[in-house]
Amino acid sequence: MITHIRNIKFLSYGFYLYEGKCKFRVHPKGVQKLKEKIRTITGRSNGLSVEERKKRLNDTVRGWVNYYKLADMKSLVTRLDQWTRRRMRMVTWKRWKRVRTRFYWLKKLGINKRKAWEWANTRKGYWRISGSHILARTLTNELFRRARYISFLDYYLSVRS
């Protein structure tokens, strides 16, 4: 059977041509499997502690990046980082169940009292809030880095160098 190189999948790697050379990429099915695994880890009702969730997520990031380190995937890991951080923001917002808990943590993370009260009382869903400016300003990328969550991009660049 004859097929184009972009339709071939081998060990969850895909292939593409760049300047006449064959290069590796991650096959979309491999990305879907990773996202399903991260959805399981960052599920809102799976009962994992913060430390256990962090350990499982970091192990998943390390394993996945090490498996696909031959692939060219800088833009892919950047998008995966953004999506994973949004999932973590969603879990954190869910963990701060009550209005007064949300108010307390928003104030502690640097939001003024009036805005913190307004944002703590929002009725929007967890996923919608996780993509809003409310949590982007409080649960920053730097905060996740200081909490020792491994970034896909940082780990990928360290493995590739």
Side-chain angles (χ1 to χ4, degrees), residues 50-66:
V50 175
E51 288 303 315
E52 181 64 23
R53 181 174 282 123
K54 183 190 315 182
K55 181 187 174 307
R56 287 188 187 181
L57 193 59
N58 287 345
D59 289 347
T60 301
V61 169
R62 274 192 212 101
W64 194 81
V65 170
N66 280 325

Side-chain angles (χ1 to χ4, degrees), residues 44-121:
R44 294 189 315 240
S45 59
N46 62 9
L48 292 177
S49 69
V50 175
E51 288 303 315
E52 181 64 23
R53 181 174 282 123
K54 183 190 315 182
K55 181 187 174 307
R56 287 188 187 181
L57 193 59
N58 287 345
D59 289 347
T60 301
V61 169
R62 274 192 212 101
W64 194 81
V65 170
N66 280 325
Y67 183 81
Y68 289 109
K69 65 185 169 190
L70 299 174
D72 300 326
M73 58 179 183
K74 191 173 180 181
S75 63
L76 172 64
V77 293
T78 303
R79 287 192 315 270
L80 285 171
D81 263 341
Q82 292 168 349
W83 182 78
T84 304
R85 281 192 302 265
R86 185 172 178 184
R87 297 279 310 171
M88 291 307 300
R89 287 180 181 116
M90 177 189 67
V91 169
T92 304
W93 191 253
K94 164 88 179 200
R95 211 174 61 234
W96 300 343
K97 282 182 187 288
R98 298 160 66 189
V99 171
R100 70 174 152 194
T101 308
R102 291 175 180 166
F103 175 65
Y104 170 80
W105 280 107
L106 288 171
K107 271 192 343 187
K108 189 168 179 148
L109 290 169
I111 304 300
N112 71 46
K113 194 173 181 177
R114 198 170 132 263
K115 273 293 180 195
W117 184 251
E118 180 185 324
W119 291 350
N121 279 291

